[in-house]
Amino acid sequence: MTTHPVSVDAMIEDLRTLVEVESPSRDLDALAASAKAVAGVIENRLGGHAVLVESEAGPHVHWSGGGDPKVLILGHHDTVFPLGTLERRPFKVEDGHATGPGVFDMLGGLVQAVHGLAALEDRSGVEILVTADEEVGSRSSRALIEERALACGAVLVFEGAADGGGLKTGRKGCGTFQVSIAGRASHAGLEPAAGVNALIEAAHQVLDIAALARPEIGTTVTPSVAAAGTLDNVVPAAATVVVDVRVESAEEKERIEAAFAALAPHLDEARVTVEGSIGRPPMPESASVELFAVARRLMPGIEGKAVGGGSDGNFTAALGVATLDGLGAVGGGAHADHEYLVVDAMPERADLVAGLVRFIQSR
């Protein structure tokens, strides 16, 4: 099967195109423009027609190389950066690094995937799905992701590489819970006992929640945002606590969800309600074994790492579909102002895509 050389200049050109169309999650107008830009890059490099799949979260982009589906190239075009970030932090290439909002998470990965596929003479069996809501939970795209993953039977995820350029062979399941406490307001000076202090109840709940963690087996439970009260002389009538949870096993997912459902008030007349779940199931390392072995043959010495963050690969791996993640940009600073991509690594990552796709096509 023939391949064509990958051009760094062409990849930088396409990366600039995508970065300069800002695409913050939930901004439907910006995401519509971004989806068109992504579709344009795909069509320009691969031919065919990229379909915009409308959703309440913005358009997802789907492309097929025809034939029986065999491999799903998975990514997202939404970013965490608000409109106006580009003006403050424009796209540039300097000292071997490309910088700008979204270069590492994960526009660089999309570009590498497209150019890796463009190097192949035969693209049959290949599908690309670029979603609009990964950064905010993938609620509108999950069903489509799962449908195409099951149809294809193998998934390559183009999130940024692990530290040092490694691939991501496992991921924790992750989710967010919001615990709401209802108390009763009263005057803090005149009638403090007449109130039910939601802030004190929240303090009890935070300690109960933090005690659910089992870091020795990878379960982290982190109260991260809290709010309570209105004025300094009013007993707080309401409080909320937001909690980040990460787990490595389905058993821990079930235990944590059951524990949150069972939270009970400590103060008489206080009420506790819980919303949320571990929305992304764990991605077990077993899901990546075969594809990672192929990647190591193609790029000897590349490492595989299990990481704490989640991606859409969690959904596909949980279905039993072979999934390899972290195939995107080599760099760092995801979600931060110092986000960057290593330019010299782009061609070899594109070549890795081509090699993995050739292997999957030949099975």
Side-chain angles (χ1 to χ4, degrees), residues 197-288:
N197 195 316
L199 179 54
I200 292 176
E201 180 62 52
H204 285 292
Q205 295 299 326
V206 165
L207 295 176
D208 289 349
I209 290 164
L212 298 174
R214 289 183 179 172
E216 69 279 4
I217 59 171
T219 300
T220 60
V221 180
T222 309
S224 52
V225 181
T230 52
L231 295 169
D232 58 1
N233 61 352
V234 178
V235 171
T240 57
V241 179
V242 179
V243 187
D244 178 277
V245 176
R246 313 278 165 150
V247 298
E248 289 186 0
S249 69
E251 293 76 16
E252 279 295 275
K253 174 182 185 295
E254 292 175 7
R255 181 183 72 85
I256 289 292
E257 289 180 339
F260 270 92
L263 288 175
H266 289 252
L267 303 183
D268 291 343
E269 299 185 72
R271 298 189 309 279
V272 175
T273 57
V274 177
E275 296 177 312
S277 65
I278 298 174
R280 292 187 193 274
M283 173 183 166
E285 291 191 76
S286 58
S288 64

